[in-house]
Protein backbone atom coordinates (compact mmCIF):
# COMPACT_ATOMS: atom_id res chain seq x y z
CA UNK A 1 0.00 0.00 0.00
CA UNK A 2 1.42 3.41 -0.91
CA UNK A 3 1.99 6.12 1.72
CA UNK A 4 -0.86 8.35 2.85
CA UNK A 5 0.92 11.21 1.03
CA UNK A 6 0.72 9.27 -2.22
CA UNK A 7 -2.98 8.54 -1.66
CA UNK A 8 -3.59 12.25 -1.05
CA UNK A 9 -1.65 13.10 -4.20
CA UNK A 10 -3.82 10.70 -6.22
CA UNK A 11 -6.99 12.14 -4.69
CA UNK A 12 -5.82 15.63 -5.56
CA UNK A 13 -5.15 14.61 -9.18
CA UNK A 14 -8.66 13.10 -9.31
CA UNK A 15 -10.11 16.41 -8.12
CA UNK A 16 -8.21 18.38 -10.74
CA UNK A 17 -9.05 15.98 -13.55
CA UNK A 18 -12.76 16.06 -12.69
CA UNK A 19 -12.58 19.81 -13.29
CA UNK A 20 -10.77 19.26 -16.61
CA UNK A 21 -13.44 16.79 -17.71
CA UNK A 22 -16.25 19.20 -16.89
CA UNK A 23 -14.55 22.07 -18.69
CA UNK A 24 -13.84 20.10 -21.84
CA UNK A 25 -17.39 18.74 -21.96
CA UNK A 26 -18.85 22.18 -21.36
CA UNK A 27 -16.82 23.56 -24.27
CA UNK A 28 -17.80 20.65 -26.57
CA UNK A 29 -21.50 20.96 -25.61
CA UNK A 30 -21.93 17.25 -26.23
CA UNK A 31 -20.72 14.10 -24.53
CA UNK A 32 -21.06 12.08 -21.34
CA UNK A 33 -20.59 13.68 -17.93
CA UNK A 34 -21.57 11.14 -15.28
CA UNK A 35 -19.39 8.16 -16.20
CA UNK A 36 -16.01 9.96 -16.41
CA UNK A 37 -16.62 11.63 -13.03
CA UNK A 38 -17.63 8.35 -11.38
CA UNK A 39 -14.60 6.35 -12.46
CA UNK A 40 -11.93 8.99 -11.98
CA UNK A 41 -10.24 7.36 -8.95
CA UNK A 42 -9.66 4.17 -10.97
CA UNK A 43 -8.32 6.02 -13.99
CA UNK A 44 -5.97 8.09 -11.84
CA UNK A 45 -4.76 5.05 -9.88
CA UNK A 46 -3.96 3.29 -13.15
CA UNK A 47 -2.11 6.16 -14.81
CA UNK A 48 -0.38 7.72 -11.81
CA UNK A 49 0.21 4.72 -9.56
CA UNK A 50 0.02 1.32 -11.21
CA UNK A 51 0.77 1.23 -14.90
CA UNK A 52 4.25 1.12 -16.40
CA UNK A 53 4.20 3.67 -19.19
CA UNK A 54 6.30 6.55 -20.38
CA UNK A 55 4.70 9.61 -21.97
CA UNK A 56 8.13 10.61 -23.33
CA UNK A 57 8.42 7.24 -25.06
CA UNK A 58 4.76 6.39 -25.77
CA UNK A 59 5.55 3.47 -28.08
CA UNK A 60 7.86 1.73 -25.56
CA UNK A 61 7.27 -1.95 -26.35
CA UNK A 62 7.19 -3.10 -22.74
CA UNK A 63 4.59 -0.56 -21.64
CA UNK A 64 1.44 -1.75 -19.93
CA UNK A 65 -1.64 -1.23 -22.10
CA UNK A 66 -4.98 0.30 -21.18
CA UNK A 67 -8.16 -0.20 -23.21
CA UNK A 68 -11.19 1.95 -22.41
CA UNK A 69 -13.99 -0.45 -23.36
CA UNK A 70 -16.76 1.90 -22.20
CA UNK A 71 -15.46 4.41 -24.73
CA UNK A 72 -18.15 7.05 -24.12
CA UNK A 73 -16.20 7.96 -20.95
CA UNK A 74 -13.25 9.13 -23.10
CA UNK A 75 -12.88 12.55 -21.39
CA UNK A 76 -11.57 10.75 -18.27
CA UNK A 77 -8.90 9.06 -20.41
CA UNK A 78 -7.97 12.30 -22.18
CA UNK A 79 -7.66 14.12 -18.85
CA UNK A 80 -5.25 11.43 -17.56
CA UNK A 81 -3.17 11.32 -20.74
CA UNK A 82 -2.75 15.09 -20.93
CA UNK A 83 -1.94 15.32 -17.22
CA UNK A 84 0.69 12.61 -17.71
CA UNK A 85 2.21 14.63 -20.55
CA UNK A 86 1.16 12.78 -23.73
CA UNK A 87 -0.30 15.96 -25.25
CA UNK A 88 -0.99 19.52 -24.11
CA UNK A 89 -4.13 20.32 -22.12
CA UNK A 90 -4.93 23.02 -24.72
CA UNK A 91 -6.15 20.09 -26.89
CA UNK A 92 -9.17 19.78 -24.58
CA UNK A 93 -10.60 22.76 -26.49
CA UNK A 94 -10.96 20.49 -29.52
CA UNK A 95 -12.91 17.67 -27.89
CA UNK A 96 -15.42 16.23 -30.40
CA UNK A 97 -14.38 18.72 -33.13
CA UNK A 98 -14.08 17.47 -36.70
CA UNK A 99 -10.49 16.32 -37.37
CA UNK A 100 -9.42 16.45 -33.72
CA UNK A 101 -7.65 13.39 -32.26
CA UNK A 102 -9.90 13.80 -29.21
CA UNK A 103 -13.14 12.30 -30.48
CA UNK A 104 -16.22 11.53 -28.38
CA UNK A 105 -15.05 7.92 -28.24
CA UNK A 106 -11.35 6.97 -28.32
CA UNK A 107 -9.79 6.92 -31.78
CA UNK A 108 -6.51 4.97 -31.88
CA UNK A 109 -3.41 7.16 -31.61
CA UNK A 110 -0.74 5.35 -29.57
CA UNK A 111 1.67 8.32 -29.78
CA UNK A 112 -0.86 10.13 -27.61
CA UNK A 113 -1.43 7.10 -25.40
CA UNK A 114 -4.76 6.20 -27.03
CA UNK A 115 -4.15 2.50 -27.62
CA UNK A 116 -7.33 1.50 -29.39
CA UNK A 117 -10.51 2.82 -31.00
CA UNK A 118 -13.37 1.79 -28.75
CA UNK A 119 -16.98 2.61 -28.00
CA UNK A 120 -18.90 -0.38 -29.33
CA UNK A 121 -19.64 -1.81 -25.92
CA UNK A 122 -18.53 -5.38 -25.33
CA UNK A 123 -15.57 -5.42 -27.71
CA UNK A 124 -12.82 -4.00 -25.49
CA UNK A 125 -12.44 -7.05 -23.27
CA UNK A 126 -11.57 -9.26 -26.26
CA UNK A 127 -9.26 -6.64 -27.77
CA UNK A 128 -7.36 -6.52 -24.50
CA UNK A 129 -7.26 -10.32 -24.39
CA UNK A 130 -5.56 -10.30 -27.79
CA UNK A 131 -2.91 -7.91 -26.51
CA UNK A 132 -2.42 -10.15 -23.47
CA UNK A 133 -2.01 -13.27 -25.61
CA UNK A 134 0.53 -11.44 -27.79
CA UNK A 135 2.47 -10.32 -24.71
CA UNK A 136 2.52 -13.88 -23.44
CA UNK A 137 3.79 -15.21 -26.79
CA UNK A 138 6.49 -12.53 -26.81
CA UNK A 139 7.40 -13.39 -23.19
CA UNK A 140 6.92 -9.80 -22.07
CA UNK A 141 6.00 -8.85 -18.51
CA UNK A 142 3.51 -6.29 -19.86
CA UNK A 143 0.14 -6.17 -18.11
CA UNK A 144 -3.04 -5.37 -20.00
CA UNK A 145 -5.72 -3.36 -18.21
CA UNK A 146 -9.20 -2.55 -19.43
CA UNK A 147 -12.15 -0.58 -18.10
CA UNK A 148 -15.74 -1.76 -18.46
CA UNK A 149 -19.18 -0.77 -17.23
CA UNK A 150 -22.31 -2.37 -15.87
CA UNK A 151 -24.31 -1.39 -18.96
CA UNK A 152 -21.60 -3.04 -21.03
CA UNK A 153 -22.09 -6.27 -19.08
CA UNK A 154 -25.41 -6.62 -20.95
CA UNK A 155 -23.46 -7.22 -24.19
CA UNK A 156 -22.91 -10.82 -25.28
CA UNK A 157 -19.44 -10.27 -26.63
CA UNK A 158 -18.16 -9.23 -23.21
CA UNK A 159 -19.00 -12.73 -21.97
CA UNK A 160 -17.25 -14.43 -24.90
CA UNK A 161 -14.13 -12.47 -23.96
CA UNK A 162 -14.61 -13.34 -20.30
CA UNK A 163 -14.84 -17.03 -21.19
CA UNK A 164 -11.67 -16.87 -23.31
CA UNK A 165 -9.61 -15.03 -20.69
CA UNK A 166 -10.61 -17.55 -18.02
CA UNK A 167 -10.01 -20.53 -20.28
CA UNK A 168 -6.60 -19.23 -21.37
CA UNK A 169 -5.66 -18.32 -17.77
CA UNK A 170 -4.64 -14.81 -18.80
CA UNK A 171 -3.05 -13.65 -15.56
CA UNK A 172 -1.52 -10.62 -17.30
CA UNK A 173 -5.10 -9.32 -17.71
CA UNK A 174 -6.80 -7.05 -15.21
CA UNK A 175 -10.25 -5.58 -15.81
CA UNK A 176 -11.95 -2.88 -13.82
CA UNK A 177 -15.73 -2.58 -14.02
CA UNK A 178 -17.43 0.69 -13.18
CA UNK A 179 -20.56 -0.52 -11.40
CA UNK A 180 -22.65 2.62 -10.90
CA UNK A 181 -26.00 0.89 -11.49
CA UNK A 182 -26.85 3.42 -14.19
CA UNK A 183 -27.01 3.07 -17.95
CA UNK A 184 -28.26 5.20 -20.82
CA UNK A 185 -32.00 5.04 -20.05
CA UNK A 186 -32.03 4.78 -16.28
CA UNK A 187 -31.14 2.43 -13.44
CA UNK A 188 -30.04 -1.11 -14.36
CA UNK A 189 -32.66 -2.65 -12.09
CA UNK A 190 -35.41 -1.09 -14.22
CA UNK A 191 -33.86 -2.13 -17.54
CA UNK A 192 -31.84 -5.33 -17.20
CA UNK A 193 -30.13 -6.19 -13.93
CA UNK A 194 -26.69 -7.75 -14.52
CA UNK A 195 -26.15 -8.92 -10.93
CA UNK A 196 -24.54 -10.96 -9.52
CA UNK A 197 -21.46 -10.08 -11.58
CA UNK A 198 -18.96 -11.46 -9.06
CA UNK A 199 -20.46 -14.97 -9.25
CA UNK A 200 -20.67 -14.80 -13.03
CA UNK A 201 -17.01 -13.88 -13.48
CA UNK A 202 -15.91 -16.45 -10.90
CA UNK A 203 -17.80 -19.11 -12.82
CA UNK A 204 -15.84 -18.07 -15.91
CA UNK A 205 -12.53 -18.63 -14.10
CA UNK A 206 -11.70 -15.14 -12.85
CA UNK A 207 -10.40 -13.91 -9.51
CA UNK A 208 -12.85 -11.21 -8.46
CA UNK A 209 -12.34 -8.25 -6.11
CA UNK A 210 -15.27 -6.09 -5.07
CA UNK A 211 -14.43 -2.59 -3.89
CA UNK A 212 -15.68 0.95 -3.41
CA UNK A 213 -14.35 2.44 -6.63
CA UNK A 214 -14.42 5.99 -5.30
CA UNK A 215 -12.17 5.10 -2.38
CA UNK A 216 -8.59 5.60 -3.54
CA UNK A 217 -7.09 3.31 -0.89
CA UNK A 218 -9.37 0.44 -1.93
CA UNK A 219 -8.62 1.03 -5.61
CA UNK A 220 -4.82 0.96 -5.26
CA UNK A 221 -4.89 -2.00 -2.92
CA UNK A 222 -7.10 -4.01 -5.34
CA UNK A 223 -4.72 -3.19 -8.20
CA UNK A 224 -1.79 -4.37 -6.07
CA UNK A 225 -3.57 -7.59 -5.06
CA UNK A 226 -4.64 -8.29 -8.65
CA UNK A 227 -1.02 -8.22 -9.75
CA UNK A 228 -0.19 -11.05 -7.33
CA UNK A 229 -2.80 -13.44 -8.77
CA UNK A 230 -1.33 -16.26 -10.85
CA UNK A 231 -3.10 -18.52 -13.34
CA UNK A 232 -6.31 -16.45 -13.64
CA UNK A 233 -7.46 -13.12 -15.06
CA UNK A 234 -8.59 -10.58 -12.48
CA UNK A 235 -11.76 -8.52 -12.34
CA UNK A 236 -12.14 -5.53 -10.02
CA UNK A 237 -15.83 -4.79 -9.63
CA UNK A 238 -15.93 -1.22 -8.42
CA UNK A 239 -19.05 0.21 -6.90
CA UNK A 240 -19.12 3.88 -7.83
CA UNK A 241 -21.45 6.85 -7.94
CA UNK A 242 -22.18 8.20 -11.39
CA UNK A 243 -21.35 11.93 -11.35
CA UNK A 244 -19.14 11.53 -8.26
CA UNK A 245 -17.80 14.78 -6.79
CA UNK A 246 -20.58 17.07 -8.00
CA UNK A 247 -23.71 16.69 -5.91
CA UNK A 248 -26.14 17.86 -8.60
CA UNK A 249 -24.90 15.06 -10.91
CA UNK A 250 -24.45 12.22 -8.42
CA UNK A 251 -26.52 9.06 -8.95
CA UNK A 252 -28.65 10.79 -11.62
CA UNK A 253 -29.19 8.78 -14.82
CA UNK A 254 -30.07 12.07 -16.56
CA UNK A 255 -26.38 13.05 -16.41
CA UNK A 256 -25.20 9.87 -18.15
CA UNK A 257 -25.11 11.68 -21.47
CA UNK A 258 -25.57 15.44 -21.09
CA UNK A 259 -22.99 18.17 -20.62
CA UNK A 260 -23.04 20.87 -17.95
CA UNK A 261 -24.81 24.16 -18.65
CA UNK A 262 -22.99 27.42 -17.79
CA UNK A 263 -24.67 27.54 -14.37
CA UNK A 264 -24.01 23.86 -13.65
CA UNK A 265 -20.35 24.21 -14.59
CA UNK A 266 -19.97 27.13 -12.22
CA UNK A 267 -21.62 25.24 -9.35
CA UNK A 268 -19.60 22.09 -10.08
CA UNK A 269 -16.24 23.86 -10.19
CA UNK A 270 -17.06 25.71 -7.01
CA UNK A 271 -17.90 22.43 -5.26
CA UNK A 272 -14.78 20.66 -6.53
CA UNK A 273 -12.66 23.64 -5.49
CA UNK A 274 -13.91 23.26 -1.92
CA UNK A 275 -12.70 19.63 -1.60
CA UNK A 276 -9.47 18.98 0.23
CA UNK A 277 -8.12 15.42 0.26
CA UNK A 278 -8.75 13.84 3.69
C1 LIG B 1 -22.66 -2.16 -28.83
C2 LIG B 1 -23.22 -0.85 -28.29
N1 LIG B 1 -24.55 -0.72 -28.12
C3 LIG B 1 -25.06 0.44 -27.66
C4 LIG B 1 -24.24 1.51 -27.39
C5 LIG B 1 -24.84 2.82 -26.94
N2 LIG B 1 -24.55 3.14 -25.54
C6 LIG B 1 -23.65 4.09 -25.21
S1 LIG B 1 -23.47 4.28 -23.56
C7 LIG B 1 -24.62 3.09 -23.25
C8 LIG B 1 -25.01 2.72 -21.82
C9 LIG B 1 -23.94 1.94 -21.22
O1 LIG B 1 -24.09 1.80 -19.85
P1 LIG B 1 -22.94 2.25 -18.85
O2 LIG B 1 -21.67 2.25 -19.58
O3 LIG B 1 -23.09 1.44 -17.65
O4 LIG B 1 -23.37 3.75 -18.64
P2 LIG B 1 -22.82 4.85 -17.59
O5 LIG B 1 -22.32 4.13 -16.40
O6 LIG B 1 -21.77 5.65 -18.31
O7 LIG B 1 -24.05 5.64 -17.33
C10 LIG B 1 -25.13 2.56 -24.43
C11 LIG B 1 -26.15 1.49 -24.52
C12 LIG B 1 -22.84 1.33 -27.58
N3 LIG B 1 -21.96 2.30 -27.30
N4 LIG B 1 -22.35 0.15 -28.02
Amino acid sequence: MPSSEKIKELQEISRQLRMDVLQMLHKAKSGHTGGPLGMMEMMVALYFYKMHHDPKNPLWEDRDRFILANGHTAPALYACLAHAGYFPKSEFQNLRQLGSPLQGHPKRKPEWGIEMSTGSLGQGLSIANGLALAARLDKRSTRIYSMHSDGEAQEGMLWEGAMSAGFRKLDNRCCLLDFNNVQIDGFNKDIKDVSPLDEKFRAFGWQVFTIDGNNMEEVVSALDEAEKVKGKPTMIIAKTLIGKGVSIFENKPAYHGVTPSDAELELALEELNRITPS
Side-chain angles (χ1 to χ4, degrees):
M1 173 63 89
S3 64
S4 58
E5 281 69 35
K6 181 69 187 174
I7 296 287
K8 275 191 190 158
E9 182 196 319
L10 295 170
Q11 289 169 332
E12 172 55 17
I13 298 174
S14 308
R15 185 182 74 85
Q16 289 174 20
L17 298 197
R18 284 189 164 103
M19 294 201 275
D20 285 344
V21 159
L22 289 166
Q23 281 164 318
M24 70 175 103
L25 282 165
H26 175 259
K27 172 79 181 28
K29 292 194 170 25
S30 77
H32 299 78
T33 299
L37 295 179
M39 51 192 238
M40 193 55 85
E41 278 79 12
M42 290 185 278
M43 295 297 293
V44 166
L46 282 167
Y47 276 94
F48 303 100
Y49 170 68
K50 190 81 254 175
M51 284 196 328
H52 299 101
H53 65 117
D54 181 1
K56 293 198 176 62
N57 185 11
L59 305 183
W60 174 41
E61 288 198 345
D62 284 327
R63 68 191 184 280
D64 291 341
R65 308 302 204 273
F66 174 74
I67 304 294
L68 185 68
N70 48 341
H72 60 281
T73 61
L77 173 66
Y78 302 153
C80 286
L81 293 174
H83 193 79
Y86 284 93
F87 55 82
K89 288 199 176 191
S90 55
E91 289 290 340
F92 293 163
Q93 296 293 314
N94 304 322
L95 177 72
R96 286 180 170 245
Q97 300 305 306
L98 201 62
S100 164
L102 302 190
Q103 286 302 306
H105 294 71
K107 177 171 173 286
R108 187 170 187 271
K109 190 173 172 70
E111 315 87 78
W112 281 25
I114 306 169
E115 298 281 2
M116 194 57 70
S117 301
T118 52
S120 287
L121 296 168
Q123 295 183 349
L125 201 149
S126 298
I127 291 169
N129 286 351
L131 292 170
L133 284 165
R136 187 198 269 177
L137 271 176
D138 291 346
K139 301 201 179 351
R140 291 185 193 282
S141 57
T142 309
R143 283 178 63 74
I144 317 292
Y145 293 93
S146 54
M147 180 70 76
H148 303 272
S149 58
D150 44 20
E152 192 190 2
Q154 295 168 348
E155 298 286 347
M157 191 173 165
L158 179 124
W159 296 103
E160 293 178 45
M163 204 186 313
S164 296
F167 175 71
R168 298 193 188 282
K169 305 188 183 346
L170 290 181
D171 55 10
N172 55 354
R173 277 286 281 120
C174 176
C175 293
L176 299 100
L177 193 146
D178 177 36
F179 205 127
N180 58 22
N181 275 308
V182 171
Q183 58 185 96
I184 201 163
D185 287 325
F187 291 101
N188 292 355
K189 67 173 172 48
D190 301 320
I191 297 164
K192 182 154 61 177
D193 193 0
V194 293
S195 301
L197 279 186
D198 52 350
E199 288 178 28
K200 288 174 184 158
F201 278 101
R202 264 187 221 111
F204 279 43
W206 292 59
Q207 178 88 27
V208 179
F209 301 88
T210 303
I211 61 164
D212 172 350
N214 294 128
N215 178 318
M216 190 60 85
E217 291 190 359
E218 289 195 28
V219 174
V220 297
S221 122
L223 287 169
D224 285 347
E225 290 307 309
E227 207 166 4
K228 295 179 194 157
V229 173
K230 298 288 169 232
K232 287 178 179 192
T234 43
M235 168 58 70
I236 299 173
I237 297 177
K239 301 199 169 146
T240 64
L241 257 189
I242 193 165
K244 176 71 183 176
V246 181
S247 41
I248 50 170
F249 301 155
E250 282 180 358
N251 207 27
K252 303 238 172 64
Y255 286 97
H256 157 93
V258 296
T259 54
S261 65
D262 294 352
E264 286 169 338
L265 179 71
E266 199 178 318
L267 270 176
L269 294 181
E270 195 208 312
E271 186 172 356
L272 285 163
N273 266 319
R274 268 188 270 123
I275 298 171
T276 42
S278 50

